[in-house]
């Protein structure tokens, strides 16, 4: 999954898969259930090695 990043010469410093906040379960229960099961974002911290 991250081979294209390291293959391009970057170092993977972090990877975060954000989850919906609990308050969303009350205000948007269907969206919360979907996003809690299948997060919509993947955040990568890719850096150029020094």
């Amino acid at each position: 999954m991250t081979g294209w990043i390291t293959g391009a010469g970057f170092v993977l410093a972090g990877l975060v898969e954000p989850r919906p906040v609990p308050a969303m379960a009350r205000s948007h229960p269907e969206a919360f259930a979907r996003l809690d099961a299948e997060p919509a974002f993947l955040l990568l911290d890719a850096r150029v090695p020094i």
Side-chain angles (χ1 to χ4, degrees):
M1 177 166 128
T2 58
W4 60 275
I5 295 170
T6 56
F10 290 96
V11 174
L12 188 59
L15 186 141
V16 177
E17 193 173 28
R19 308 304 277 201
V21 295
M24 186 179 179
R26 292 185 298 278
S27 60
H28 298 86
E30 291 177 11
F32 176 85
R34 181 175 35 85
L35 291 171
D36 194 47
E38 300 175 14
F41 297 97
L42 185 62
L43 306 173
L44 304 173
D45 182 359
R47 301 178 183 195
V48 176
I50 299 174

